[in-house]
Amino acid sequence: MKKEKEILSELTTDEISYYYTLLNEEITDFDCGTLCREDNDGNPFCCVTENAIPFLYRKEFSLLKSRSDLWKIWEPKNRQEKNLKSAQEGEDTLFCECKGAAFCERENRSISCRTFPIEPYIDKRGALVALVFMKEFLSGCPLTKRKDDVRQDYIDSHFIFWEKLLLRRKEEFETYNKSSRAYRKWSKNTGLPIPLLFPSHLKGKEYLNKFI
């Protein structure tokens, strides 16, 4: 029974290809890499593995390898990176890296690339109600300081993606539910608002305030 559950939880290449269609919207109306290139030797912050290592599903890596030679498995260079790889890679996920921003193939970006620096926000009821900037990158990615620059079409299509993925992958729902609770604690301790990005159908819904 356990083996069957593991097989059912693993994403298929058809699912990943479909998810890509939901993640084609550009995050801004301009190249957001222009906000950070000068501080990263000409490369966008998110395209430097020392800042953020793409996390791919193994089936996703296989799919992308069948389409391009852009991607390879990431190899840790020190003990800290080896510990990271050992602690966070799973049976159906692995860290990867691409050739770099200069060789980017937009159609062959990973889910990690397409969603950065955004993740889902789960409210106190356990309901997905918004997207949010990843807290660990609030000080690194300058776009996190420019919430109004994020396109509504991007938010709406990515919200649909996260709805589908979190229903599909219970373990990921639990991961983001935990990170959302940590965000609420962070907000309470710092007095800073959570940088939420609401989909069109939930914008301005005051009843949500007590659950945020």
Side-chain angles (χ1 to χ4, degrees), residues 102-113:
F103 303 96
C104 182
E105 301 169 11
R106 302 293 290 174
E107 70 279 11
N108 290 319
R109 290 171 298 150
S110 67
I111 290 173
S112 288
C113 295

Side-chain angles (χ1 to χ4, degrees), residues 31-174:
D31 179 4
C32 62
T34 59
L35 300 175
C36 54
R37 281 198 186 102
E38 290 186 7
D39 297 324
N40 291 280
D41 296 322
N43 294 303
F45 175 87
C46 58
C47 296
V48 179
T49 54
E50 286 76 13
N51 297 331
I53 310 167
F55 205 47
L56 276 66
Y57 300 103
R58 292 181 184 270
K59 287 289 181 67
E60 181 183 15
F61 178 66
S62 297
L63 173 64
L64 292 174
K65 286 293 287 182
S66 73
R67 291 164 41 165
S68 170
D69 63 353
L70 179 66
W71 290 92
K72 66 179 182 179
I73 295 175
W74 173 73
E75 297 294 340
K77 300 179 178 63
N78 53 50
R79 182 175 296 277
Q80 182 180 4
E81 291 182 349
K82 288 179 181 178
N83 290 340
L84 175 70
K85 183 179 177 72
S86 175
Q88 296 198 18
E89 283 191 347
E91 290 188 4
D92 67 339
T93 53
L94 72 168
F95 287 114
C96 298
E97 62 180 320
C98 69
K99 292 180 177 180
F103 303 96
C104 182
E105 301 169 11
R106 302 293 290 174
E107 70 279 11
N108 290 319
R109 290 171 298 150
S110 67
I111 290 173
S112 288
C113 295
R114 295 165 189 249
T115 57
F116 188 91
I118 304 292
E119 67 182 23
Y121 180 80
I122 313 298
D123 73 8
K124 296 174 183 177
R125 302 168 298 172
L128 171 65
V129 294
L131 305 181
V132 68
F133 291 118
M134 298 175 185
K135 186 158 60 66
E136 60 267 39
F137 294 109
L138 290 179
S139 61
C141 174
L143 184 60
T144 63
K145 305 294 191 296
R146 303 175 57 143
K147 189 172 73 168
D148 291 343
D149 285 334
V150 179
R151 298 176 60 247
Q152 191 62 49
D153 285 344
Y154 172 96
I155 297 170
D156 291 345
S157 62
H158 280 236
F159 188 87
I160 294 171
F161 159 72
W162 285 113
E163 272 188 321
K164 294 182 179 298
L165 185 70
L166 296 184
L167 284 171
R168 180 72 171 80
R169 307 257 308 174
K170 182 179 179 180
E171 64 272 29
E172 296 204 39
F173 174 87
E174 294 301 332

Side-chain angles (χ1 to χ4, degrees), residues 179-192:
S179 67
S180 296
R181 289 198 299 269
Y183 234 133
R184 289 191 285 274
K185 184 177 180 180
W186 168 86
S187 178
K188 182 178 180 180
N189 291 338
T190 63
L192 297 173

